[in-house]
């Protein structure tokens, strides 16, 4: 058997390996290389050592402020999206009338692209703010922050809800019946049966929202585009602005992207490890 | 099949031979066009010229934002462009080895002076073919209504008296107070400060204070000078005037786009809007437009500096035509003849005025009839002997400075930060950006 595998290695694995190398590994490696250079086009890169990275870590009003804002946003929205999604999932596994209709409705915002959602929510939020406070979303970073949290919740809750519903429905009914016979109340059932058994779903959902929040771009771009005064720029948008809008800063943008990638990988790796340890088999 | 291909080869050879012969005799023209918006107009012109003279004329347009790249590619080809465009001193320096000396050409003799040329060592290598101007666009109908209004608080009774800031301010504030009588919602259109739509203020409005600050020694091709924002108070004068006498509350400018502002002007909701002659199409093309084309005109931007009543609009050239030095003699000659025809023959001038809608620095174009009243207004202001402001905004070190400044102006409009902070940040940012840019020069 082993021999046959080896024999056909080239036929089955080589094509996809080539694609993986061309489309993933090679850009990744050349991206890391370019972060140490100054370049206009990829072919005329000039090595400049660590100066790009030095700029990144001293870019107080750019990268570092974006990092702070992104971390705050991700922390808040990770909690709210998962909380609301889980509550909805609990409600919609109770067998209420019209369950399927509700599930569809809650899932639908996820089908709309981030740019479109961003513009729609911009109109909604501006409408409310102008009516009540007499200013618009560019007035304060607070408005931009909560606007993005609302938008992200709106978009993600339905998707996470479906994952949680799948997790809840996979719980064997014997367990629930046994708990009922033993006289466990609803809170005890939730805490001792449902939560531990949907832990894999929680791992997935936390991973999705954590990495999604960190990597968020189009919603940010459409809703606030950094206003006011770059205070609501998230990491991805800051990288984009550095790379495309500042002449001669492509290398710095590349360095930011490398730092960004490492950060997202490290944080999500840590999170998956932590929540995995809580899962029960 | 074989016979057919042989025939094809023979035909091909023959056609090559014939073009080669005609090209040697009369030359041929290949113009690499910079402006996508006039692609069709140029194609029409090329066809008309070819029909009239028999000289093969080809126009290729580079897609928006890809000119430098397209030019690099085309110059490598056997049949390289004979006429091409450079858009800045930087681009000129990169292509200088390709540009023919135009100093003694007939085309250069059409120029009133050499303000709008690209020069090196006192020789002309590029000539601008499209000037753009900006100032305050006014609706003369509404202004006249004000001038004839009973009980107005000012003595000003003609548009010609609006060449000083003091008069402009008095009139604008009185008009704002009487906006219901005048049938407008505010004097100025919305100050569009939405990020990305704030260039009318973070760039264009800066031209006037920058001009006065760098008055003596403006070297657009040299190093970025240091900047103190000496005329910050003057900038605040005019910016406050825009914000406080507008259709909307100054706190709501963060969502307004340039199109919003131009539509407001077009619909007669306001009397003035700061913009340039390129916005003509936007004004006259708005659905339900009420402003009559002949009522649209320019007044200069004034900020309360001594001597500004002698100044006119901000006028600048951003694109310069060059002739490819490495093309054959015949082709160079044909190309020059084509341009001379375009800017001096009756047929060519009509194309320039009606189809291309270019304002040129050529004296031969003085009697051309434009359908754009903003151009007519520009000519009137020049005829009054007013001096144009050059494009000092080219000295702004980077787009980063512009967008930071725009964001700070927005925060100031919303009364989130005070003016001193705006000025301080503008000066600090300038120093940072200038250092970065100068280091690469």
């Amino acid at each position: 058997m082993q021999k046959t595998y080896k024999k056909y290695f080239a036929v089955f694995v080589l094509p996809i390996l080539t694609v993986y190398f061309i489309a993933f590994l090679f850009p990744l490696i050349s991206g890391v290389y370019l972060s140490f250079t100054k370049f206009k086009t990829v072919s005329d890169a000039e090595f400049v050592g660590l100066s790009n990275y030095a700029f990144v870590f001293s870019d107080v009003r750019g990268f570092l402020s974006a990092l702070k804002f992104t971390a705050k946003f991700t922390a808040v929205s990770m909690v709210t999206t998962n909380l609301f999604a889980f509550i909805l999932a609990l409600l919609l596994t109770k067998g209420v009338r019209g369950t399927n209709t509700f599930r569809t409705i809650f899932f639908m915002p996820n089908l709309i692209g981030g740019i479109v959602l961003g513009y729609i929510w911009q109109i909604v939020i501006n409408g409310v703010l102008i009516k009540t406070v007499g200013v618009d979303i560019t007035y304060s970073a607070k408005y931009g922050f909560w606007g993005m949290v609302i938008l992200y919740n709106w978009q993600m809750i339905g998707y996470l809800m479906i994952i949680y519903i799948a997790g809840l429905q996979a719980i064997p009914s014997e367990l629930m019946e046994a708990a009922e016979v033993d006289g466990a109340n609803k809170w005890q059932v939730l805490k001792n049966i449902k939560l531990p058994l949907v832990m894999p779903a929680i791992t997935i959902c936390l991973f999705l929202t954590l990495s999604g929040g960190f990597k968020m771009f189009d919603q940010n771009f459409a809703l606030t585009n950094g206003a006011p005064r770059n205070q609501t720029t998230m990491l991805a948008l800051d990288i984009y602005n550095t790379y495309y809008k500042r002449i001669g800063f492509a290398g710095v943008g590349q360095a930011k992207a490398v730092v960004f990638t490492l950060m997202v990988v490290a944080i999500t790796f840590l999170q998956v490890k932590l929540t995995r340890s809580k899962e029960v088999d | 099949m074989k016979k057919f291909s042989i025939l094809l080869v023979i035909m091909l050879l023959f056609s090559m031979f014939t073009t080669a012969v005609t090209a040697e005799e009369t030359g041929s023209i290949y113009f690499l066009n910079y402006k996508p918006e006039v692609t069709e107009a140029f194609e029409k012109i090329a066809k008309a010229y070819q029909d009239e003279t028999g000289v093969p004329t080809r126009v290729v347009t580079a897609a928006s934002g890809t000119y430098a790249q397209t030019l690099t590619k085309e110059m490598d080809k056997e049949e390289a462009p004979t006429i091409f465009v450079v858009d800045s001193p930087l681009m000129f320096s990169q292509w200088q080895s390709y540009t023919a000396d135009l100093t003694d050409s007939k085309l250069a003799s059409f120029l009133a002076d050499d303000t709008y040329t690209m020069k090196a060592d006192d020789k002309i290598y590029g000539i601008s073919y499209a000037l753009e101007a900006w100032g305050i666009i006014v609706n003369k109908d509404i202004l006249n209504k004000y001038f004839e209004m009973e009980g107005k608080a000012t003595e000003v009774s003609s548009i010609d008296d609006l060449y000083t800031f003091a008069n402009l301010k008095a009139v604008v504030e009185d008009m704002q107070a009487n906006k219901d009588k005048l049938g407008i919602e505010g004097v100025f259109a919305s100050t569009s400060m939405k990020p990305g739509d704030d260039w009318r203020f973070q760039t264009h409005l800066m031209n006037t204070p920058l001009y006065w600050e760098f008055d003596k020694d403006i070297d657009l091709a040299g190093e970025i000078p240091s900047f103190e924002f000496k005329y910050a108070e003057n900038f605040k004068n005019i910016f406050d005037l825009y914000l406080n006498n507008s259709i909307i509350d100054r706190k709501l400018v963060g969502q307004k786009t340039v199109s919003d502002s131009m539509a407001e002007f077009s619909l007669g909701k306001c009397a003035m809007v700061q913009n340039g002659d390129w916005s003509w199409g936007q004004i006259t093309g708005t659905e339900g437009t009420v402003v009559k084309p002949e009522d649209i005109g320019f007044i200069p931007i004034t900020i309360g500096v001594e001597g500004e009543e002698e100044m006119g609009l901000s006028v600048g050239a951003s694109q310069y035509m060059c002739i490819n030095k490495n093309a054959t003699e015949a082709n160079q000659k044909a190309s020059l003849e084509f341009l001379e025809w375009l800017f001096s023959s009756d047929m060519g001038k009509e194309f320039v005025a009606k189809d291309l809608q270019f304002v040129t620095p050529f004296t031969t174009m003085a009697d051309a009839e434009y359908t754009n009243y903003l151009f007519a207004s520009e000519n009137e202001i020049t005829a009054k002997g007013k001096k144009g402001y050059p494009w000092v905004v080219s000295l702004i070190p980077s787009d980063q400075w512009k967008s930071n400044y725009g964001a700070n102006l927005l925060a100031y409009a919303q009364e989130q930060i005070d003016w001193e902070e705006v000025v301080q940040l503008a000066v600090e940012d300038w120093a940072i950006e200038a250092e970065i840019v100068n280091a690469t020069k």
Side-chain angles (χ1 to χ4, degrees):
Chain A
M1 200 63 181
Q2 282 292 338
K3 243 186 175 170
T4 341
Y5 278 151
K6 273 192 184 141
K7 215 163 109 194
Y8 287 107
F9 173 82
V11 182
F12 289 110
V13 185
L14 216 54
I16 200 68
L17 209 62
T18 324
V19 172
Y20 179 76
F21 182 78
I22 294 171
F24 187 81
L25 265 186
F26 176 69
L28 186 76
I29 293 164
S30 73
V32 172
Y33 163 69
L34 286 173
S35 73
F36 294 100
T37 64
K38 192 175 171 60
F39 67 99
K40 203 160 103 196
T41 56
V42 179
S43 51
D44 70 353
E46 173 199 336
F47 194 75
V48 293
L50 285 169
S51 76
N52 288 339
Y53 286 91
F55 185 90
V56 171
F57 290 108
S58 61
D59 190 10
V60 182
R61 265 160 46 198
F63 192 75
L64 298 181
S65 114
L67 177 60
K68 217 167 107 189
F69 185 78
T70 310
K72 241 169 39 182
F73 168 80
T74 312
V76 172
S77 57
M78 208 167 86
V79 174
T80 54
T81 46
N82 283 290
L83 195 67
F84 287 128
F86 193 72
I87 292 172
L88 278 181
L90 282 179
L91 289 176
L92 292 180
T93 43
K94 281 204 165 15
V96 213
R97 270 180 65 132
T99 295
N100 277 331
T101 320
F102 279 119
R103 285 182 190 175
T104 316
I105 291 173
F106 285 124
F107 185 72
M108 260 174 11
N110 197 260
L111 301 175
I112 309 173
I115 293 274
V116 180
L117 270 186
Y119 285 128
I120 293 174
W121 273 98
Q122 193 187 51
I123 296 168
V124 174
I125 293 170
N126 277 333
V128 172
L129 282 177
I130 289 171
K131 272 266 158 60
T132 54
V133 200
V135 295
D136 56 43
I137 197 166
T138 61
Y139 187 70
S140 157
K142 246 188 344 207
Y143 299 145
F145 178 81
W146 289 108
M148 300 227 305
V149 171
I150 292 170
L151 165 60
Y152 194 56
N153 273 280
W154 172 265
Q155 190 181 23
M156 285 305 287
I157 283 175
Y159 190 71
L160 302 180
M161 178 194 75
I162 297 292
I163 299 175
Y164 282 129
I165 286 176
L168 287 169
Q169 281 176 338
I171 297 174
S173 53
E174 301 89 64
L175 275 176
M176 304 295 284
E177 279 160 21
E180 218 171 288
V181 170
D182 288 345
N185 63 24
K186 276 183 183 157
W187 173 245
Q188 283 168 324
V189 170
L190 178 68
K191 200 179 120 221
N192 297 324
I193 297 175
K194 286 184 177 168
L195 269 180
L197 285 174
V198 294
M199 216 50 210
I202 294 179
T203 308
I204 295 168
C205 287
L206 284 181
F207 171 78
L208 281 175
T209 45
L210 182 68
S211 64
F214 247 89
K215 292 189 296 189
M216 186 150 121
F217 175 76
D218 29 4
Q219 295 91 331
N220 186 209
F221 183 74
L223 187 70
T224 70
N225 204 358
R229 306 167 76 207
N230 250 349
Q231 288 165 11
T232 61
T233 307
M234 295 181 66
L235 283 172
L237 183 60
D238 182 60
I239 293 169
Y240 170 84
N241 285 340
T242 313
Y243 194 98
Y244 287 106
K245 293 208 179 149
R246 296 203 70 172
I247 295 163
F249 273 67
V252 176
Q254 200 61 51
K256 283 184 177 181
V258 170
V259 175
F260 174 65
T261 311
L262 289 178
M263 234 156 36
V264 175
V265 169
I267 291 169
T268 45
F269 184 75
L270 206 71
Q271 175 262 324
V272 170
K273 211 151 188 214
L274 272 177
T275 37
R276 269 277 161 78
S277 66
K278 296 245 162 43
E279 281 176 20
V280 283
D281 290 317
Chain B
M1 191 64 210
K2 205 174 165 192
K3 264 186 193 161
F4 180 70
S5 41
I6 291 171
L7 194 73
L8 210 71
V9 169
I10 292 172
M11 274 169 68
L12 207 70
L13 282 172
F14 188 68
S15 68
M16 275 165 73
F17 181 68
T18 46
T19 46
V21 167
T22 47
E24 244 162 62
E25 279 170 2
T26 62
S28 66
I29 300 159
Y30 171 15
F31 173 39
L32 189 61
N33 173 29
Y34 193 104
K35 289 171 170 271
E37 66 270 26
V38 291
T39 309
E40 280 169 32
F42 261 125
E43 274 161 11
K44 199 168 128 189
I45 292 166
K47 194 174 172 300
Y49 187 70
Q50 187 163 346
D51 289 347
E52 199 182 281
T53 61
V55 178
T57 309
R58 190 154 73 100
V59 176
V60 173
T61 304
S64 181
T66 63
Y67 194 82
Q69 191 174 325
T70 313
L71 182 61
T72 313
K73 199 177 76 205
E74 292 294 302
M75 278 298 187
D76 274 339
K77 291 189 180 167
E78 189 79 27
E79 283 185 32
T82 58
I83 310 171
F84 65 100
V85 175
V86 297
D87 65 2
S88 62
L90 182 69
M91 188 172 169
F92 175 58
S93 65
Q94 289 162 348
W95 289 97
Q96 206 182 332
S97 55
Y98 287 83
T99 55
D101 179 3
L102 303 174
T103 321
D104 301 321
S105 66
K106 207 167 144 198
L107 188 67
S109 72
F110 295 164
L111 290 165
D113 57 50
D114 58 5
T115 313
Y116 304 115
T117 58
M118 200 54 93
K119 292 204 310 188
D121 303 326
D122 267 338
K123 283 184 183 146
I124 298 174
Y125 291 98
I127 299 174
S128 177
Y129 57 98
L131 304 183
E132 289 178 325
W134 68 79
I136 298 173
I137 300 174
V138 296
N139 183 332
K140 290 184 201 159
D141 184 43
I142 299 172
L143 276 177
N144 286 333
K145 224 187 265 176
Y146 169 77
F147 293 142
E148 286 154 18
M149 188 180 76
E150 272 179 47
K152 62 174 179 163
T154 67
E155 294 293 310
V156 180
S157 59
S158 156
I159 193 170
D160 293 336
D161 294 333
L162 294 177
Y163 282 62
T164 62
F165 179 71
N167 279 358
L168 179 69
K169 184 174 157 82
V171 167
V172 166
E173 284 174 349
D174 197 28
M175 282 178 79
Q176 182 76 11
N178 291 296
K179 60 180 184 183
D180 295 335
K181 263 199 220 169
L182 296 167
I184 51 175
E185 290 174 27
V187 178
F188 282 106
S190 303
T191 309
S192 56
M193 291 304 291
K194 186 183 173 119
D197 271 271
D198 49 1
W199 45 266
R200 287 194 293 146
F201 309 100
Q202 36 95 314
T203 308
H204 290 179
L205 192 56
M206 272 309 282
N207 198 48
T208 327
L210 285 178
Y211 171 80
W212 294 110
E213 178 159 350
F214 299 127
D215 190 10
K216 301 290 173 290
D217 35 30
I218 298 169
D219 177 13
L220 295 180
E223 281 214 336
I224 309 284
S226 66
F227 169 68
E228 296 168 39
F229 213 161
K230 277 186 209 150
Y231 292 87
E233 273 310 302
N234 303 86
F235 185 94
K236 181 172 175 284
N237 280 344
I238 187 80
F239 194 56
D240 276 342
L241 195 71
Y242 289 166
L243 290 171
N244 296 335
N245 301 285
S246 169
I247 290 185
I248 52 159
D249 186 84
R250 61 187 287 162
K251 283 194 180 154
L252 294 178
V253 295
Q255 291 302 325
K256 289 292 173 184
T257 62
V258 178
S259 329
D260 292 336
S261 310
M262 298 323 290
E264 289 160 6
F265 181 81
S266 176
L267 299 174
K269 290 181 180 175
C270 61
M272 301 182 187
V273 60
Q274 181 210 309
N275 212 338
D277 48 24
W278 55 85
S279 64
W280 177 257
Q282 253 176 320
I283 298 173
T284 51
T286 302
E287 212 177 291
T289 174
V290 298
V291 56
K292 290 195 210 75
E294 61 270 25
D295 284 335
I296 303 172
F298 269 127
I299 59 171
I301 296 169
T302 46
I303 59 173
V305 176
E306 216 170 299
E308 69 182 359
E309 60 275 11
E310 296 310 318
M311 302 297 289
L313 306 172
S314 296
V315 186
S318 58
Q319 287 156 19
Y320 303 83
M321 300 172 296
C322 301
I323 301 287
N324 182 2
K325 191 165 77 179
N326 304 337
T328 62
E329 277 299 310
N331 286 357
Q332 288 188 45
K333 193 165 155 274
S335 300
L336 267 173
E337 274 166 5
F338 166 65
L339 294 176
E340 284 156 14
W341 169 83
L342 185 61
F343 295 109
S344 67
S345 74
D346 288 340
M347 191 176 172
K349 275 153 69 174
E350 196 178 319
F351 276 130
V352 174
K354 297 239 162 75
D355 294 295
L356 297 174
Q357 301 231 4
F358 289 164
V359 171
T360 68
F362 302 118
T363 48
T364 45
M365 289 291 297
D367 56 347
E369 271 176 52
Y370 285 95
T371 49
N372 180 335
Y373 281 86
L374 287 174
F375 293 156
S377 178
E378 281 170 53
N379 291 336
E380 267 170 48
I381 292 174
T382 318
K384 278 183 198 144
K386 307 287 180 192
K387 189 176 169 229
Y389 291 95
W391 278 10
V392 194
V393 286
S394 314
L395 288 177
I396 293 178
S398 69
D399 285 348
Q400 185 73 21
W401 187 88
K402 293 178 189 172
S403 60
N404 287 352
Y405 184 55
N408 294 334
L409 284 180
L410 172 58
Y412 167 73
Q414 293 168 329
E415 291 169 345
Q416 293 277 71
I417 59 174
D418 53 22
W419 183 248
E420 284 69 40
E421 195 175 340
V422 177
V423 176
Q424 194 200 334
L425 287 170
V427 173
E428 279 174 17
D429 271 351
W430 184 293
I432 296 169
E433 297 298 320
E435 198 188 316
I436 295 171
V437 175
N438 284 338
T440 61
K441 269 197 176 177

